[in-house]
């Protein structure tokens, strides 16, 4: 009988994160000071981030960065996570493709986000920081950081995108259970929030808005740092424990992936599953394809432009070289709240520009069709975000059927959907609709960007 799960031992938890920037043949462009347009140094980022996170953000030389013992000890609560052969899904699709998924939904908060939350909270605590702030879309990052903050004795304020605050009340409850303060964004508690509410009283929020509020609070509060769950390089670094474990587990399975897939919002889980495998492509030893699966309602990689842009709506952050829809882009109120971000991280954007990764945009209804098929075939109800990766994997399997091939497909199940059942209710009721962004809306926002790259 073939194995269903491939399980590592606690001793197999990686001892170092993989820094993809050190291996990239072409390094990503630097972040810029929005006023001087000069590249930022780690010291420039110290007021906003913990010093160690700032150093990791700009580290393009060290291929491996040691995981602190205290972080690795917390990882032992749920890591290593299983690699699972999706034999049920293969049977349902009638495919000869071999489909595997890395099950990050087994973490205490139900997603991969804890991998970086623990690391960033640890670095803040080690530095003597007492307060931290963040934003969250669907609430998975906020839940993860709430747990990490409580463990290290930090006070946390979370700005949660308003539409998700109301759509996903139980994610809010999880954060409050761990002791965090949760604020619906935009709010009246910051200058950025008040400005947005004044101009658009019914605005349901975006990750860009929530970031602006969290950054403003961090910069105006003594002994407080901003912590974030995606987009930036140090977050992607921490997530590489996913792919490093998956490498060992694929060896146990006696296979190597032809295709690696992750859903895509800002890039954290996609980077985590893909970057460790990508280093073998850099070396010329493999020719694995990497696919980022994003929502059709927020298609930055498939329809955005590659240009310097702000990471937030108010323009508080440094300028980042990214595939972007424009920092003023207001995404539709889809159920995959964790993927409603206007831009991609600088590393993923550079790799996309070089053609080293592919991107697909998935309509919302297809996402839930894939989620339902997966749940019935494998028994796990996936998060709406993760279901984009499932949909992309199904597309690849169907294409293989048409071509008569049998590829090995690996995707990241970045989280479960047991707190997202309102979205499933909408799907089963037939109320769910697809939303395609008009090109005129994208052009309106991207035309306002400074032409630094173009």
């Amino acid at each position: 009988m073939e194995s269903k799960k491939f399980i590592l031992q606690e001793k197999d938890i990686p001892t170092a994160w993989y820094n993809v920037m050190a291996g990239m043949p072409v390094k990503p462009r630097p972040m810029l000071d929005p006023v001087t347009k000069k590249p930022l140094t780690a010291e420039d980022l110290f007021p906003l981030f913990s010093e160690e996170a700032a150093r990791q953000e700009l580290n393009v030389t060290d291929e491996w960065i040691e995981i602190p013992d205290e972080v690795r000890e917390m990882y032992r609560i749920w890591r290593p996570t299983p690699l699972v052969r999706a034999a049920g899904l293969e049977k349902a699709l009638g495919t000869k493709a071999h489909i595997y998924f890395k099950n990050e939904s087994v973490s205490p908060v139900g997603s991969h986000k804890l991998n970086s939350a623990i690391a960033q909270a640890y670095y803040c605590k080690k530095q003597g920081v007492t307060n931290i702030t963040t934003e969250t879309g669907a609430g998975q990052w906020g839940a993860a950081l709430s747990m990490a903050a409580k463990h290290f004795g930090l006070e946390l304020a979370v700005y949660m995108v308003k539409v998700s605050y109301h759509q996903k009340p139980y994610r809010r409850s999880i954060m409050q259970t761990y002791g965090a303060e949760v604020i619906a964004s935009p709010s009246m508690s910051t200058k950025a929030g008040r400005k947005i509410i004044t101009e658009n009283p019914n605005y349901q929020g975006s990750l860009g808005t929530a970031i602006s509020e969290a950054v403003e609070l961090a910069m105006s509060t003594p002994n407080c740092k901003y912590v974030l769950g995606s987009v930036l390089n140090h977050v992607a670094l921490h997530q590489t424990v996913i792919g490093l474990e998956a490498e060992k587990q694929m060896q146990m399975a006696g296979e190597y992936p032809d295709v690696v897939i992750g859903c895509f919002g800002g890039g954290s889980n996609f980077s985590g599953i893909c970057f460790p495998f990508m280093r073998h492509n850099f070396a010329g030893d493999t020719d694995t394809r990497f696919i980022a699966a994003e929502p059709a309602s927020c298609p930055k990689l498939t329809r955005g432009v590659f240009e310097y842009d702000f990471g937030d709506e108010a323009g508080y952050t440094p300028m980042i070289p990214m595939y972007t829809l424009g920092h003023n882009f207001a995404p539709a109120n889809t159920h995959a709240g964790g993927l409603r971000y206007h831009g991609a991280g600088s590393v993923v954007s550079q790799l996309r520009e070089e053609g080293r990764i592919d991107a697909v945009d998935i309509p919302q209804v297809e996402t839930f069709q894939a989620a339902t098929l997966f749940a019935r075939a494998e028994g796990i109800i996936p998060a709406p975000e993760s279901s984009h990766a499932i949909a992309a994997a199904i597309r690849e399997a169907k294409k293989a059927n048409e071509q008569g091939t049998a590829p090995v497909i690996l995707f990241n199940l970045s989280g479960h959907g047991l707190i997202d059942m309102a979205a499933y209710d909408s799907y089963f009721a037939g109320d769910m609709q697809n939303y395609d962004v008009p090109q005129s809306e994208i052009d309106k926002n991207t035309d306002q960007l400074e032409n630094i790259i173009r």
Side-chain angles (χ1 to χ4, degrees):
M1 180 185 295
E2 292 185 340
S3 296
K4 175 70 174 175
K5 296 193 301 296
F6 300 89
I7 308 293
L8 298 172
Q9 302 301 308
E10 288 179 9
K11 65 180 176 57
D12 298 314
I13 296 172
T15 57
W17 296 297
Y18 170 61
N19 180 16
V20 72
M21 290 192 294
M24 290 173 67
V26 179
K27 309 302 181 190
R29 291 170 171 81
M31 288 193 292
L32 301 180
D33 182 294
V35 178
T36 66
K37 302 299 188 292
K38 292 182 178 179
L40 293 177
T41 65
E43 288 74 15
D44 293 327
L45 299 175
F46 285 176
L48 188 58
F49 302 112
S50 70
E51 292 182 7
E52 183 56 31
R55 292 188 189 98
Q56 291 176 357
E57 181 64 26
L58 301 183
N59 187 331
V60 297
T61 56
D62 298 318
E63 187 174 17
W64 299 98
I65 295 178
E66 184 178 356
I67 302 175
D69 289 342
E70 293 91 336
V71 173
R72 214 163 164 266
E73 181 64 26
M74 273 202 79
Y75 280 175
R76 290 177 59 228
I77 296 171
W78 80 101
R79 302 210 72 88
T81 61
L83 179 77
V84 185
R85 174 78 179 268
L89 181 61
E90 293 172 15
K91 183 179 179 181
L93 295 172
T95 183
K96 292 182 179 179
H98 290 188
I99 305 174
Y100 296 83
F101 63 91
K102 184 70 165 152
N103 189 0
E104 290 295 299
S105 76
V106 300
S107 84
V109 296
S111 83
H112 70 291
K113 293 290 189 178
L114 208 49
N115 298 323
S116 186
I118 289 170
Q120 293 189 67
Y122 165 76
Y123 289 131
C124 286
K125 180 66 174 180
K126 185 179 178 184
Q127 191 176 319
V129 171
T130 56
N131 295 64
I132 56 177
T133 70
T134 196
E135 77 292 331
T136 194
Q140 289 178 334
W141 169 247
L145 190 60
S146 298
M147 177 182 168
K150 181 52 61 178
H151 178 84
F152 289 110
L154 303 170
E155 293 297 320
L156 170 64
V158 181
Y159 285 92
M160 187 173 186
V161 175
K162 186 172 289 184
V163 63
S164 293
Y165 184 92
H166 297 299
Q167 275 182 353
K168 304 175 188 292
Y170 296 121
R171 284 257 168 78
R172 183 175 75 229
S173 299
I174 290 171
M175 291 180 252
Q176 292 168 334
T177 299
Y178 287 126
E181 179 185 1
V182 188
I183 308 106
S185 174
S187 74
M188 296 298 288
S189 67
T190 66
K191 184 170 65 176
R194 289 192 294 273
K195 181 176 185 294
I196 291 166
I197 290 173
T198 300
E199 294 174 354
N200 187 353
N202 297 318
Y203 186 46
Q204 292 301 298
S206 70
L207 276 167
T209 298
I211 292 170
S212 293
E213 295 207 88
V215 168
E216 181 180 325
L217 183 64
M219 297 298 286
S220 60
T221 304
N223 208 21
C224 184
K225 298 295 180 184
Y226 169 64
V227 178
L228 82 167
S230 194
V231 182
L232 293 189
N233 305 329
H234 64 276
V235 184
L237 171 77
H238 304 151
Q239 293 294 351
T240 57
V241 292
I242 302 171
L244 292 169
E245 288 180 3
E247 268 193 298
K248 296 179 182 178
Q249 290 163 315
M250 291 300 300
Q251 289 175 359
M252 294 169 66
E255 303 207 86
Y256 193 87
D258 298 299
V259 183
V260 183
I261 302 169
C263 67
F264 196 88
S268 65
N269 91 89
F270 172 83
S271 302
I273 190 74
C274 291
F275 286 176
F277 289 98
M278 198 173 289
R279 77 183 194 277
H280 304 300
N281 275 22
F282 293 154
D285 298 329
T286 57
D287 190 28
T288 302
R289 289 175 56 224
F290 301 95
I291 302 175
E294 62 185 6
S297 60
C298 197
K300 79 277 291 182
L301 287 174
T302 51
R303 296 176 60 193
V305 300
F306 185 44
E307 188 51 89
Y308 272 94
D309 195 8
F310 291 102
D312 70 313
E313 188 165 344
Y316 289 157
T317 67
M319 298 189 75
I320 304 169
M322 55 164 59
Y323 270 91
T324 179
L325 297 168
H327 62 275
N328 292 322
F329 178 74
N333 295 331
T334 59
H335 287 281
L339 306 185
R340 287 193 294 243
Y341 185 63
H342 67 271
S346 62
V347 168
V348 171
S349 293
Q350 180 64 37
L351 294 169
R352 171 69 170 153
E353 181 72 0
E354 295 173 21
R356 292 183 181 274
I357 67 170
D358 297 327
V360 294
D361 56 344
I362 313 284
Q364 185 168 225
V365 173
E366 181 184 347
T367 299
F368 278 85
Q369 289 170 341
T372 304
L373 176 63
F374 180 80
R376 293 172 181 176
E378 294 294 332
I380 299 171
I381 297 175
E385 292 78 15
S386 311
S387 302
H388 290 72
I390 298 171
I394 290 172
R395 286 186 182 184
E396 288 296 306
K398 288 181 175 178
K399 185 168 67 177
N401 290 353
E402 295 169 0
Q403 296 173 346
T405 57
V408 176
I409 301 168
L410 169 64
F411 71 87
N412 195 21
L413 182 71
S414 57
H416 68 64
L418 295 177
I419 312 170
D420 298 288
M421 298 315 295
Y424 282 85
D425 286 345
S426 176
Y427 170 67
F428 293 128
D431 297 333
M432 186 171 287
Q433 296 179 343
N434 292 327
Y435 179 76
D436 287 319
V437 185
Q439 188 60 42
S440 59
E441 184 178 343
I442 296 175
D443 293 342
K444 180 184 69 176
N445 287 310
T446 56
D447 286 349
Q448 298 176 32
L449 300 175
E450 294 185 58
N451 293 331
I452 299 174
I453 294 178
R454 288 177 288 177

